[in-house]
Amino acid sequence: MELKDVKSPQDIKHCSVEELYHLASQVRETIIGQVSKHGGHLASSLGVVELTIALHYVFNAPEDKLVWDVGHQAYVHKLLTGRYDRFGTLRQQGGISGFLKRNESEYDCFGAGHATTSISAALGMAVARNHFCKNNNVVAIIGDGSMTGGMAYEAINNAGISKQNMTIILNDNKMSIAPNVGGFSKYLNRVISDPVYNKMRTDLDRVMQRIPGVLGSRFRDLFLQAESAAKNAVKPGRFFEDLGLRYFGPIDGHDINELIMILERVKNQPGPCIVHVLTEKGRGLDAAEKNPTKFHGCGPFDPESGLLLTPGNTNPSLTSVFGKTLLELAKKDKRIIGITAAMPTGCGMDIVAKELPDRVIDVGIAEEHAVTFAAGLACDGVVPVVSIYSSFMQRAYDQIAHDVALQNLHVVFVLDRAGLVGADGPTHHGVFDLTFLRSIPGMTIMAPSDENELRDMLTAAIDMKGPVAIRYPRGSALAAEMAAPAETFDAKSPKIIEEGKDILLLGAGFMTNELKKTSRILQEKGYKPTLVDARFIKPLDAECYRSLFEKHDTIVTLEDNTRIGGYGSAVLELMTDLGYTNKKFFRFGIPDHFVEQGNIQDLYKLLKIDGESIANQLMEQL
């Protein structure tokens, strides 16, 4: 069987195990070839090749539901479900998504780009199946990293008491394989999952229930205790069993024959089951096996050497600017403790942790806990700096409002990847943070327009009061070298970059740089605009804005946040409050729909929020 001939999972049903291993080799080669050219999530997908093949061999998707957690481990799933011909468009504008997407394929039964969703969704599908008297299987595939998130345990707790027939695959991709993956462990799993054993177990249970009185109950208890002792002697299943899930494992996640045998037996077990599968992240690419973190989400690389290809822009990343600034601040101020939710490298906290390991705490994929944990720290004099991607911070909205802001605690939130993020698409675009943060009383929100402002804002935020948020985009600094730190930072007012008349251009964060292009074009056409870097999204300096409104007949705002409730809305509200209702007002930002993946500058042009498009639209209107 050749991968190019696989149009649906049905095409692999009659393959031999040897042919399936040959298919696995082709899948790895295809994924490595694609990601090496365009970047993507590599190590996680390489680790689940055999597991995905076994799942599609045993189960009958799309009737049977395969619910993937996060989705970045689903490249193999895409290749086996009719998307081989489009795989070259992965994560590109107009191409297939790097995550699961219901409107992309009938095999993607649940879309996901954030972690810990699979078990909850799968349980919902199992209940819906029974409600409509269907008999399909439901399988959730979740990684051990996602098991650090509380929502997974909420779902397991519910699944255990629900008694719904469903299977949870726990994909444990730690780099070491536990000692209990051996001959005896496999033998025990064969016994425990064997239909004969399970029929005997049921029959014995019925017999013992017929024995009258205490004697029958005692025999039954002794039998269950003996079974439990045998299982717990060789495997870590007690926790799941106590919550009401039958546990099977650990299983070698790269042994297709073993995987098929266990899955065939487990799918016929009544009630919820969990299969613990051990896989190796990055398997099949030496560089990814040795450094799975580096190749979790990577840019283009040389598949022979494993070396990442040098990007065209060699300026430092904004993430590194944040990390280095926080390190210098933490060295001088013992109050500072950094918090990250399983993203120390992605958020720049690794820079601090290398020199001050006791000053950075990684709480796992648990954004809600991260924020309330920070609130607890703040109660006793710590200045917590919570660095989380903008799209992931959405998950902790209640904790920001209830646990931090309501108590006016001084927690500094740093939102990396704000605005459009490019190839990761709608699950990761950070275009809602200004809206949901603006609604919280007492919140100070800052948006730097360059790397120097990012550094100065973080420095100023440490000594502010109450909750403070700084948001900045994915990308590089505008210059190779940083300017000298500001001697003083006006923690209130916008910054006037160019002073003119008639047209007022107000930019939020890095979008101010697009308005610089707009200003140049307008000047070439004879206009004299005033260009302002907002810097503060909340609160707005009413008197400063009043003077700006007074001098201009046309006001323009630009942001990479949704237009609903963002910076433009804040300015419009202030204009109304101050009585400036007779001005022409143009509000540019993200429209009221989810934006697909693509190159960021191309998306700006598509949405008509790049500097040139804004200038053209203004000239048409004026």
Side-chain angles (χ1 to χ4, degrees), residues 43 47 203 316 335 434 447 490 507 518-519 540 580:
D203 290 345
R335 298 177 302 159
L434 295 184
D490 182 359
T518 303
S519 179
L540 297 180
Y580 293 96

Side-chain angles (χ1 to χ4, degrees), residues 367-497:
E367 293 84 1
E368 301 96 326
H369 164 60
V371 173
T372 304
F373 171 56
L377 288 170
C379 284
D380 280 355
V382 170
V383 178
V385 178
V386 182
S387 183
I388 295 176
Y389 285 9
S390 171
S391 65
F392 297 164
M393 191 66 85
Q394 296 163 189
R395 314 184 86 184
Y397 178 77
D398 177 64
Q399 287 72 22
I400 296 172
H402 181 273
D403 300 334
V404 176
L406 184 60
Q407 305 182 90
N408 197 35
L409 294 172
H410 183 42
V411 177
V412 179
F413 298 102
V414 179
L415 282 64
D416 198 330
R417 270 53 167 192
L420 299 176
V421 297
D424 282 339
T427 59
H428 283 58
H429 291 320
V431 296
F432 306 106
D433 55 77
L434 295 184
T435 301
F436 69 74
L437 290 175
R438 273 193 66 233
S439 67
I440 297 175
M443 177 69 70
T444 297
I445 309 170
M446 294 183 281
S449 63
D450 62 30
E451 60 276 11
N452 300 305
E453 283 192 348
L454 171 58
R455 176 201 57 207
D456 296 341
M457 287 178 179
L458 180 60
T459 303
I462 299 300
D463 292 317
M464 290 181 179
K465 304 296 182 183
V468 181
I470 303 170
R471 53 104 70 180
Y472 66 91
R474 180 178 191 170
S476 301
L478 301 182
E481 300 292 335
M482 300 280 290
E487 292 185 9
T488 60
F489 181 77
D490 182 359
K492 181 182 178 183
S493 301
K495 178 182 178 182
I496 299 175
I497 301 173

Side-chain angles (χ1 to χ4, degrees), residues 215-293:
L215 185 62
S217 177
R218 181 62 178 155
F219 272 128
R220 186 171 183 274
D221 288 345
L222 285 172
F223 172 75
L224 293 175
Q225 288 171 19
E227 181 193 48
S228 178
K231 292 160 92 175
N232 290 322
V234 292
K235 66 175 109 161
R238 178 65 183 269
F239 171 77
F240 299 107
E241 295 270 352
D242 286 350
L243 287 175
L245 284 75
R246 292 291 305 279
Y247 173 90
F248 302 91
I251 309 297
D252 182 352
H254 301 294
D255 186 333
I256 293 179
N257 193 54
E258 185 76 10
L259 285 166
I260 290 173
M261 184 199 68
I262 291 294
L263 293 175
E264 289 281 8
R265 291 177 176 177
V266 168
K267 77 174 183 178
N268 295 316
Q269 295 297 318
C273 299
I274 187 163
V275 181
H276 185 181
V277 177
L278 296 176
T279 61
E280 184 181 17
K281 205 169 183 181
R283 189 179 180 95
L285 182 67
D286 187 58
E289 290 177 13
K290 292 177 179 177
N291 194 341
T293 300

